[in-house]
């Protein structure tokens, strides 16, 4: 059992097979349409993205100054690069799956232009907030983190300048995540 749970890819594969089995098993009462499958993927990638955003803001960033210098390499050399890999790709896949849902469901244009009504405009606001957040991840946070983590060559001055940019973009995403989550949940649940 320890061998099974020690293998992340195997656990993910079995989880995927279990989800597909549920889709087939409950397909008569809850059809596994393209929209439904993309909604499920959207929620998965969204949880991964926002979970890592919260991990970074609530755990890693506040803890780093307290870690002795000789131990920081474990974080910056091993943990942070993996976190940022999943963080940026989860952001992209959350946005892509969300856009597919909007297109398949027929409300993409109305939501993005705020020309719909009620929940469509609310989901549109959530979509725009998510797009801003994804832009921050890919074009501000990740380029800065590549310098900070030594993934790309950068002088001490460039690294020092990158840190506050990355922090500001990350905290902006934290701030935007709260109204974005409200928009997404309320628009979909009708609450």
């Amino acid at each position: 059992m320890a061998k099974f749970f020690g293998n992340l890819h195997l656990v993910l594969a079995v989880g995927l097979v279990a989800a597909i089995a549920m889709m087939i098993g409950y397909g008569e009462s809850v059809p596994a349409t393209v929209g439904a499958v993309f909604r499920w993927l959207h929620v998965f990638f969204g949880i991964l993205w926002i979970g890592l955003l919260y991990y970074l803001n609530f755990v890693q960033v506040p803890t780093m100054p307290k870690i002795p210098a000789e131990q920081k390499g474990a974080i910056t050399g091993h943990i942070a690069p993996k976190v940022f890999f999943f963080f940026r790709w989860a952001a992209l896949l959350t946005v892509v799956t969300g856009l597919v849902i909007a297109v398949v469901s027929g409300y993409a244009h109305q939501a993005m232009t705020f020309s719909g009504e009620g929940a469509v405009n609310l989901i549109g606001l959530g979509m725009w907030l998510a797009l801003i957040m994804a832009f921050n991840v890919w074009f501000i946070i990740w380029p800065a983190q590549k310098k900070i983590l030594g993934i790309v060559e950068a002088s001490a001055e460039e690294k020092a300048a990158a840190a506050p940019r990355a922090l500001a973009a990350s905290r902006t995403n934290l701030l935007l995540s709260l109204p974005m989550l409200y928009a997404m949940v309320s628009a979909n649940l009708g609450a």
Side-chain angles (χ1 to χ4, degrees):
M1 201 54 132
K3 202 172 204 177
F4 169 74
F5 288 113
N7 185 329
L8 172 64
H9 296 102
L10 183 57
V11 170
L12 283 172
V14 170
L16 180 60
V17 168
I20 292 169
M22 286 179 64
M23 288 177 201
I24 293 167
Y26 286 90
E28 195 172 300
S29 55
V30 183
T33 63
V34 170
V37 170
F38 272 87
R39 190 174 314 278
W40 167 64
L41 290 170
H42 181 66
V43 170
F44 171 74
F45 291 123
I47 290 169
L48 183 58
W49 177 20
I50 300 305
L52 289 170
L53 172 70
Y54 292 168
Y55 161 77
L56 288 164
N57 277 279
F58 296 137
V59 179
Q60 187 170 309
V61 171
T63 305
M64 284 302 287
K66 299 171 192 147
I67 297 174
E70 66 274 3
Q71 295 177 357
K72 286 186 182 191
I75 305 294
T76 59
H78 300 283
I79 295 172
K82 188 69 103 174
V83 167
F84 284 107
F85 172 83
F86 286 108
F87 180 63
R88 68 183 189 273
W89 288 106
L92 178 65
L93 291 169
T94 301
V95 168
V96 168
T97 55
L99 290 171
V100 168
I101 292 164
V103 168
V104 168
S105 299
Y107 62 79
H109 178 73
Q110 291 177 322
M112 297 300 291
T113 60
F114 300 107
S115 61
E117 294 181 13
V120 171
N121 288 342
L122 184 58
I123 200 86
L125 179 56
M127 291 167 73
W128 277 109
L129 293 172
L131 286 169
I132 293 165
M133 293 168 62
F135 177 90
N136 284 344
V137 168
W138 278 92
F139 299 105
I140 299 173
I141 297 169
W142 178 234
Q145 285 297 334
K146 286 194 292 186
K147 292 176 184 174
I148 294 164
L149 298 173
I151 295 170
V152 298
E153 285 291 320
S155 67
E157 295 81 23
E158 290 173 317
K159 288 180 181 184
R165 269 196 318 274
L167 180 62
S170 185
R171 292 291 162 85
T172 297
N173 279 7
L174 174 61
L175 182 152
L176 294 178
S177 74
L178 300 173
M180 182 272 303
L181 286 170
Y182 173 80
M184 297 302 191
V185 169
S186 296
N188 281 291
L189 296 179

